[in-house]
Amino acid sequence: MRILLVEDNNTLANWLAKSLRQSQYTIDVVHDGADAEHALAVTSYNLVILDLGLPDKGGLEVLRHLRRAGNEVPVIVLTANASLDGRISGLDAGADDYLAKPFELTELEARIRAQLRRASQKTAPVITCGALSFDTNTRLFSINGEPLALAPKEHAVLEQLLHKIGRTVSKTALSQSIYSFDSETDENAIEIYIHRLRKKLEGSRAEIVTLRGLGYLLRDGV
């Protein structure tokens, strides 16, 4: 799951990004409205965490521009303005949720899970491929009901493939799912993660197929 964090306070942004990465989210961080609009124009996100008090273009303006462009990505607004009028302005501009500073990390993570859960309700809450299951509420994998232990990047790659089951996913798209844009990417590493996943999926009938020059797809190999 790829999240865009828009926060001008460097200390808070770095802390949030580090904490959320430990929960197996891929986090891109920008510090102003112009960079936020650019990131949203070139990258597909599962969720946006948006501070309203940005130094140049305000968060509300970014949010309105996002919605006018037809982008329905869930947006959680962060702001020091906890007034009723402030909350109404954010929600009217198109925010999906609203969290006043200061806040507890556990509450933000719960709100993130709630928004991602709502977005996933367009599909079944549990996605299966052979004996492999993925619970979109808990983001946990299992095989025949037994938890599947995955390293963070393995988890991100398999999650991306399962959400697009039966469809080809390019190596570039998989790389983007595990590296934020301020990290050094290595598309060749995808081959290593795919190899490890194939080992862990043995006996589950979930099969990762390589399509030369195109990418990979996950299918039921029964």
Side-chain angles (χ1 to χ4, degrees):
M1 291 292 176
R2 190 162 190 161
I3 295 175
L4 177 64
L5 172 61
V6 189
E7 171 58 62
D8 67 317
N9 183 311
N10 286 337
T11 301
L12 176 58
N14 291 337
W15 172 71
L16 274 178
K18 180 179 179 180
S19 299
L20 293 175
R21 284 168 183 148
Q22 290 175 346
S23 296
Q24 300 185 359
Y25 296 108
T26 299
I27 308 295
D28 290 339
V29 181
V30 296
H31 302 291
D32 59 54
D35 285 346
E37 290 189 348
H38 175 72
L40 287 161
V42 300
T43 306
S44 177
Y45 291 99
N46 300 100
L47 184 132
V48 177
I49 301 172
L50 176 64
D51 178 32
L52 294 188
L54 300 175
D56 57 346
K57 183 176 293 187
L60 282 180
E61 186 177 352
V62 172
L63 183 54
R64 292 189 183 106
H65 180 269
L66 179 71
R67 296 312 189 210
R68 284 196 299 268
N71 193 328
E72 298 182 355
V73 60
V75 176
I76 298 176
V77 162
L78 301 180
T79 182
N81 180 5
S83 69
L84 176 61
D85 288 343
R87 295 197 301 273
I88 290 173
S89 296
L91 294 170
D92 282 346
D96 296 277
D97 202 355
Y98 198 101
L99 191 58
K101 299 177 181 177
F103 55 85
E104 295 292 335
L105 177 63
T106 52
E107 182 179 3
L108 174 60
E109 289 187 317
R111 290 173 182 266
I112 290 172
R113 291 193 297 271
Q115 291 302 321
L116 294 176
R117 185 164 58 246
R118 288 171 190 154
S120 71
Q121 284 175 350
K122 297 175 182 177
T123 60
V126 177
I127 306 172
T128 62
C129 180
L132 174 70
S133 296
F134 178 68
D135 189 322
T136 60
N137 292 330
T138 62
R139 298 182 63 228
L140 295 178
F141 286 97
S142 62
I143 293 179
N144 291 319
E146 294 296 322
L148 178 62
L150 297 171
K153 287 185 171 56
E154 295 170 359
H155 187 287
V157 169
L158 187 56
E159 186 172 352
Q160 183 84 340
L161 290 170
L162 195 59
H163 276 293
K164 296 184 178 180
I165 188 170
R167 291 179 285 167
T168 304
V169 184
S170 70
K171 187 182 290 187
T172 298
L174 289 175
S175 181
Q176 289 176 345
S177 75
I178 63 176
Y179 295 109
S180 57
F181 55 50
D182 58 352
S183 301
E184 184 177 349
T185 62
D186 181 5
E187 289 191 7
N188 292 328
I190 296 298
E191 296 178 10
I192 297 173
Y193 300 131
I194 293 293
H195 175 73
R196 292 175 181 172
L197 286 170
R198 284 176 172 149
K199 289 282 189 181
K200 293 183 177 182
L201 294 175
E202 287 179 354
S204 70
R205 302 199 321 273
E207 178 182 25
I208 300 175
V209 179
T210 300
L211 301 175
R212 297 294 179 188
L214 296 175
Y216 304 91
L217 68 81
L218 181 70
R219 70 182 182 188
D220 188 338
V222 64

